[in-house]
Amino acid sequence: MRLSAVVGLGTVFLATLAMAQGGKDQRRSGYQDMSPALQRMQDDDTANPAMLYVQAGEALWKQKAGASNKACVDCHDAGSMKGVAARYPAIPSGADKPVDLEGRINLCRTGQQKAAPFDAESEELLDLAAYVARQSRGMPIAPADDPRLASFRAHGEQLFKERQGQLNLSCANCHDDNAGKKLGGATIPQAHPTGYPIYRLEWQALGSLKRRLRNCLIGLRAEPYDYSSPEYVDLELYLMDRARGMTIDAPAVRP
Amino acid sequence: MANVLINAPKTVRKGETIELKALILHPMETGFRPGANGQLIPRNIIEQFTATWNGVEIFRMKMSPAVAANPYVSFFAVAKESGTIRFQWTGDRNFSAEGSVMVTVT
C-alpha cells in the first residue's frame, strides 16, 4: 500500500517534471487540434452551446427529487465538486468496481435521493455531468491514486491496443500512430478525454465520452459495447491516465 | 423556463455599434428525418427571432428547417438610448421564449 503510494507520487512528479521542462510533452488535446474559430466558440460562455446544458444542470442540482425529497445541493456544498471530474473514474466507498462520473451521479440519485436512475445519455444526466465537470475546468487531470484501479486500467489499455472490427484496427492505430493526420475532413486527435461531456457539432447536442467512443467503435465497424458495459469505464481509466496532467476544458466543443 | 444565453455589453457610448449575440436550446427538428420507428419525426422549429430595443424592433429573422439545433444568432445595432433589449423566439407547437438585457448608453 505504502510502496504503491510512493510509486504513484513518483509518477505524478515525473509527469509534472516532463511538462515543466517544456517541449518534452508531445501530447495535444482535442482543443489544440481545433480551428481558432471553434476554440473561440468554446471559450466564450455565451457562444459555447454546452453552457445551455450547464445552466439546465444547475437548475437540476437545486431541484428536490425522490423519496428522500432532497436536492444535490442539500448534501453537497458549493465548490465541493471542484476537481471531481478530474479524477474520475473511481471506486465508490463500499464498492469494488470503478464508476465514471455519470455512474457516480446515478449512485446518488438512487442511493441518496431514492429516485429512479437517469437513463444513459439522457439529457438530465448529461446536464448534471456538465454542471459538475464545468467546476473542474482549468484543473489538471489527476486520476485517483487507488491501487485497486490498476487491473481495470490495464484492461482499458489492452482494449485500446487490440485490433477489432471489420476494419481490424486498434484505437492506437489511429490515436497513437496516426494522430495529427487527416481522416477524411477530420484531424485525428490524440484522444484525450479532457472535455467531457462535449458539445459535438456533428451531433448538434451534448454527449458523453461513451457516445464518442461508440462513434469510434462504429467507425471501425466493431459492435459498440452496451452503454452499461464496464469496457467504457476501463477505457476511460486508461485514457485519463494517458492524459494525466493535461488541462480539463469541459464542457468542450468538438467538431 | 426558456434556456437562453445572451451576450451584450453592459455599458456603451452613444452612437457606438455593438454586437449582440443570442443562443437558445432548441432541437430544430426538420420534419424530414425518420425516427427509430421509421416514421417521420414531426417538424419542430423556431420560425422567427426578433429583437427590440425599448420596444422598437431592431432585428428580425426567419428561420428554416436548414438551421442547426440550438441556433446562435449574432447581429449589430447602433446604441441610441439606455434601456432594455428584448429577444423573442417563436415557432412550431406554440413555442415562445424570451430573454432580455439592460444596456446603459453614456
Side-chain angles (χ1 to χ4, degrees):
Chain A
M1 189 75 180
R2 179 177 291 169
L3 181 65
S4 63
V6 171
V7 173
L9 274 178
T11 319
V12 174
F13 173 72
L14 286 177
T16 317
L17 184 70
M19 273 178 293
Q21 285 174 340
K24 288 240 163 57
D25 193 346
Q26 299 293 319
R27 294 177 305 174
R28 291 173 62 81
S29 68
Y31 176 86
Q32 289 169 294
D33 284 333
M34 292 199 303
S35 69
L38 286 186
Q39 291 180 347
R40 278 199 301 276
M41 182 184 196
Q42 174 173 322
D43 293 341
D44 178 349
D45 278 351
T46 57
N48 180 344
M51 294 309 292
L52 292 166
Y53 300 79
V54 171
Q55 213 163 255
E58 185 174 3
L60 277 176
W61 180 260
K62 296 173 181 159
Q63 192 177 305
K64 296 193 187 298
S68 78
N69 198 30
K70 285 213 164 78
C72 318
V73 70
D74 293 334
C75 296
H76 297 291
D77 296 338
S80 62
M81 290 292 130
K82 212 170 155 43
V84 172
R87 62 180 167 74
Y88 265 68
I91 301 179
S93 58
D96 55 2
K97 288 192 184 63
V99 296
D100 56 16
L101 185 58
E102 283 95 352
R104 177 63 254 200
I105 291 171
N106 257 340
L107 280 179
C108 275
R109 181 86 186 150
T110 52
Q112 304 285 346
Q113 290 183 312
K114 316 278 181 218
F118 294 120
D119 288 339
E121 223 54 28
S122 63
E123 195 148 313
E124 289 95 337
L125 190 53
L126 291 168
D127 290 346
L128 278 168
Y131 176 70
V132 170
R134 169 81 173 84
Q135 298 174 52
S136 295
R137 204 191 250 187
M139 296 178 74
I141 290 181
D145 193 10
D146 180 345
R148 292 173 301 167
L149 290 172
S151 59
F152 299 98
R153 188 178 289 135
H155 181 230
E157 176 169 10
Q158 181 202 330
L159 291 173
F160 191 82
K161 295 185 169 162
E162 183 174 274
R163 286 177 184 270
Q164 55 179 324
Q166 288 178 329
L167 296 190
N168 198 29
L169 286 171
S170 71
C171 317
N173 285 152
C174 281
H175 294 297
D176 282 344
D177 306 343
N178 287 294
K181 294 189 193 150
K182 292 280 183 193
L183 184 71
T187 301
I188 302 176
Q190 293 179 357
H192 296 302
T194 58
Y196 288 81
I198 57 166
Y199 188 88
R200 190 166 179 224
L201 299 178
E202 190 180 310
W203 297 333
Q204 298 185 29
L206 197 73
S208 69
L209 178 63
K210 284 195 180 99
R211 183 170 177 193
R212 175 62 261 186
L213 299 186
R214 289 171 75 85
N215 279 195
C216 279
L217 286 164
I218 290 167
L220 47 93
R221 296 196 204 151
E223 193 178 331
Y225 317 109
D226 194 72
Y227 265 110
S228 57
S229 296
E231 276 84 357
Y232 292 116
V233 178
D234 295 354
L235 269 168
E236 183 175 358
L237 275 168
Y238 172 65
L239 291 175
M240 288 292 273
D241 192 53
R242 198 168 153 267
R244 187 185 286 271
M246 295 179 79
T247 307
I248 295 273
D249 63 337
V253 172
R254 292 290 183 267
Chain B
M1 191 197 70
N3 196 341
V4 301
L5 285 168
I6 293 166
N7 186 349
K10 286 198 171 50
T11 57
V12 287
R13 272 196 305 275
K14 197 176 167 77
E16 204 178 322
T17 302
I18 58 170
E19 185 175 14
L20 301 166
K21 305 178 201 169
L23 179 63
I24 184 166
L25 192 75
H26 195 285
M28 293 300 283
E29 190 57 60
T30 62
F32 301 124
R33 290 196 317 153
N37 61 1
Q39 306 281 316
L40 284 188
I41 305 172
R43 193 184 101 151
N44 177 20
I45 69 165
I46 295 171
E47 293 180 300
Q48 182 163 280
F49 169 70
T50 54
T52 56
W53 194 317
N54 286 343
V56 179
E57 186 171 291
I58 54 167
F59 187 84
R60 181 206 301 243
M61 176 182 175
K62 286 239 179 283
M63 294 198 191
S64 72
V67 175
N70 309 321
Y72 173 68
V73 180
S74 134
F75 59 97
F76 294 89
V78 178
K80 289 186 179 151
E81 57 188 28
S82 298
T84 307
I85 310 178
R86 197 175 294 284
F87 302 82
Q88 200 177 21
W89 294 259
T90 53
D92 293 338
R93 302 185 189 182
N94 294 322
F95 180 80
S96 172
E98 243 186 48
S100 60
V101 284
M102 297 282 292
V103 177
T104 307
V105 177
T106 57

